[in-house]
Amino acid sequence: MTTKELKERSIIYRKKILQYIMKANAGHTGGSLSCTDILNVLYNEVLNVSPQNFSSNDRDRYIQSKGHCVEALFVVLADKGFFPEEDLNTLCQYKSHYIGHPTKKVKGVEQNTGALGHGLPIAVGTALAAKMDKKSFRVFTLMGDGELPEGSNWEAALSAAHYKLDNLCAIIDKNSLQITAATADVMNTDPLDQKFRSFGWAVKEINGNDVDALKDAFAGLPFEKGKPSVIIAHTVKGKGVSFMENQLKWHHGVPDKNQYETAQNELDKALSEI
Amino acid sequence: MAEQINTHTYKPNLEIFSETLQRLALTDRNIVAVTSDSRGSGKLVPFGKKFPEQMVEVGIAEQNLVGVAAGLASCGKKVFAVSPACFLTARALEQIKNDVAYSDNRVNIIGISAGVSYGALGSTHHSLHDYAALRAINNIMVVAPADNFETEQAIELAAKADQPVYLRFGKKPMPPLKEINNDGFAFGKGRVILEGSDVAIIATGETVYPALQAAGKLKQQGITATVISMHTIKPLDTALLRSVAEKCKAVITVEEHSVYGGLGEACASYLLQNRITKPFRIIGIPDEYTITGSQQNIFDHYGINEKGIAEVALSLLK
Ligand SMILES: [Mg+2]
């Protein structure tokens, strides 16, 4: 896709994320909007995964560790044809498979996630299996910056470097906020790049809301042969909707009717201006 | 008495686990053992030497152990995640619940040196909560093989199971429950070790042998006991439980586990909800600061032995 097409796609995804959060009257709005561009570039430019090859052992694996931002994932999977988009009208409804976190009952989802600090260890095991079987598929996991204090992440980070998993890429959606406050105030994890480097990872820091920067970063994988790669993606929580950007209350805030219309109008305007 | 067992002729179930895994790995390169600095205590040093490519070491990091195992299993590996039961089922419980059971990654969780096998090392090293914790988690079987035969069978079945399995055993040499094992072995199907009509003793894991000894002692007093090896605690063999409870005048359960939430309460729940009320007693470790001592000391202290089980039977039959 061209840069213009990718940018358009991001805005269309954001519009749909808001639409289905509104419909479900629930969702993790801010974080879904911050990682939209990452998912867009992954699914449209990077991952060798499709509804057709989803049962093939050679497909790339995407494991969403920050499971609560499932709305972004579901919207992208629907767009890629894993299931009809109208299914998302049942999001969080009684008896729906479309729950508030990723579940394998939904085609395209690799692992049931939601508890934090689980994606990276599973991704390490998956990347190890690829190495054992000499398969060339790659493993990606998207983590939130707020989940980094979970110790399991650092256990997994050690093992990824120990086993030289250069087929593994972690992306940190560093929107610098979490449910309580700024991540730096809740539990500071900076300097993140130095932490990962000292754990034996190759690190790249980019603007995670810039589709070109994301494209370039993924094109450079692995950043170093014999090392796992981490992309520290600096993003804006609530990205794309002015009154949601960097606002704590939109962590899992649901817009009212007026706010929803204002947001959609803003996104429509941005779409027309690309 | 346990002291009379000639330990040189019997092997610990742990050793049988290791031998069986090596045998399976010879013909199946998808067999993978994952350890957390536990290859020595898991008797897996020979496995690691013979199949270095099929062994993954994660260091002392049980949460990562189970997460990594889940990832391996998602790619078709037949994974045995091996670590002391006490750490595996407590520290990594969330990984077992989510990454293995909920995500249906078919990992075999192998809890070694289970129950009070670590004896005087104390409560940090005891697993008296694992049946209770795992029984309440959907999509994982809970299995405690009693002897070498059951262990070998359980490992073979686990390697091809279509559901995650938790298997736990100790490190004490275990005598065989039967001279000839001609009754087969299947998860969810208890084994009748001895038939009698006065009392049903339903035991699991390393407590089946003392249950069998107690039955011998009762026989001398003209009391006949049915002894069941209920190796699978979940799913419980309720058909067998019903039949022996209906046949006998009293029911006793025995387990190397807290009296809360394990085999005993599973049986009690089924019997009561099905209106089968017989004199009933759960033998296990009481809810207290566990006494210091070897595994045998602890068993003896809490009556998990020939004498203790026989006494309970006599009191229920009075
Ligand atoms: Mg955050």
Side-chain angles (χ1 to χ4, degrees), chain A residues 75-125:
Chain A
V75 161
V76 172
L77 289 179
D79 182 50
K80 299 307 289 180
F82 283 92
F83 51 82
E85 190 190 310
E86 53 266 31
D87 284 7
L88 294 179
N89 285 313
T90 70
L91 181 66
C92 292
Q93 305 294 309
Y94 180 56
K95 290 191 172 176
S96 174
H97 286 327
Y98 298 84
I99 62 172
H101 287 101
T103 159
K104 287 159 82 174
K105 286 203 191 297
V106 174
K107 192 171 175 191
V109 173
E110 292 285 353
Q111 297 291 347
N112 297 354
T113 52
L116 296 171
H118 286 247
L120 191 57
I122 301 174
V124 167

Side-chain angles (χ1 to χ4, degrees), chain A residues 104 111-112 118 133 155 163, chain B residues 57 77 94 99 102-103:
Chain A
K104 287 159 82 174
Q111 297 291 347
N112 297 354
H118 286 247
D133 291 343
E155 295 181 7
Y163 287 105
Chain B
E57 174 62 67
K77 297 295 172 193
E94 191 179 75
D99 307 348
Y102 177 46
S103 277

Side-chain angles (χ1 to χ4, degrees), chain A residues 27-130:
Chain A
H28 285 83
T29 313
S32 284
L33 295 176
S34 72
C35 69
T36 305
D37 303 293
I38 298 168
L39 282 167
N40 178 13
V41 173
L42 272 172
Y43 274 90
N44 288 303
E45 293 290 325
V46 180
L47 294 174
N48 171 31
V49 62
S50 65
Q52 291 71 40
N53 80 352
F54 194 65
S55 55
S56 159
N57 281 333
D58 297 319
R59 72 187 185 279
D60 286 337
R61 308 299 203 278
Y62 169 75
I63 297 161
Q64 188 161 314
S65 192
K66 50 176 288 179
H68 54 286
C69 296
V70 71
E71 295 86 13
L73 177 62
F74 281 168
V75 161
V76 172
L77 289 179
D79 182 50
K80 299 307 289 180
F82 283 92
F83 51 82
E85 190 190 310
E86 53 266 31
D87 284 7
L88 294 179
N89 285 313
T90 70
L91 181 66
C92 292
Q93 305 294 309
Y94 180 56
K95 290 191 172 176
S96 174
H97 286 327
Y98 298 84
I99 62 172
H101 287 101
T103 159
K104 287 159 82 174
K105 286 203 191 297
V106 174
K107 192 171 175 191
V109 173
E110 292 285 353
Q111 297 291 347
N112 297 354
T113 52
L116 296 171
H118 286 247
L120 191 57
I122 301 174
V124 167
T126 309
L128 263 170

Side-chain angles (χ1 to χ4, degrees), chain B residues 17-202:
Chain B
F17 155 65
S18 170
E19 288 172 15
T20 309
L21 204 61
Q22 288 174 62
R23 182 162 49 72
L24 294 173
L26 271 179
T27 54
D28 189 348
R29 52 180 289 277
N30 278 324
I31 297 278
V32 176
V34 191
T35 53
S36 51
D37 197 25
S38 46
R39 77 179 66 198
S41 37
K43 303 271 179 221
L44 287 169
V45 172
F47 182 97
K49 279 190 180 137
K50 276 185 219 163
F51 311 101
E53 317 258 281
Q54 287 165 250
M55 184 137 194
V56 176
E57 174 62 67
V58 298
I60 302 173
E62 291 80 13
Q63 298 180 64
N64 194 40
L65 172 85
V66 177
V68 165
L72 286 162
S74 76
C75 298
K77 297 295 172 193
K78 297 168 187 173
V79 186
F80 289 78
V82 188
S83 186
C86 51
F87 311 131
L88 198 47
T89 62
R91 198 181 198 109
L93 184 62
E94 191 179 75
Q95 279 73 17
I96 296 174
K97 167 179 169 264
N98 294 340
D99 307 348
V100 175
Y102 177 46
S103 277
D104 195 26
N105 288 309
R106 290 166 193 174
V107 176
N108 302 300
I109 304 286
I110 307 295
I112 60 175
S113 303
V116 293
S117 294
Y118 280 123
L121 295 188
S123 283
T124 55
H125 284 59
H126 295 166
S127 53
L128 299 173
H129 66 282
D130 48 347
Y131 301 159
L134 296 176
R135 273 183 67 220
I137 290 173
N138 171 243
N139 196 38
I140 185 162
M141 291 190 269
V142 179
V143 182
D147 64 1
N148 292 177
F149 166 72
E150 289 188 3
T151 304
E152 181 176 11
Q153 296 284 309
I155 298 301
E156 281 184 16
L157 289 182
K160 53 188 177 193
D162 58 4
Q163 198 185 36
V165 185
Y166 171 62
L167 273 163
R168 65 112 109 165
F169 29 75
K171 49 187 188 166
K172 181 171 74 175
M174 291 310 295
L177 299 174
K178 290 184 166 187
E179 279 180 24
I180 305 165
N181 294 301
N182 52 4
D183 56 338
F185 180 94
F187 291 143
K189 292 278 166 222
R191 293 174 72 217
V192 181
I193 306 301
L194 192 68
E195 291 204 63
S197 55
D198 293 316
V199 60
I201 309 174
I202 301 165

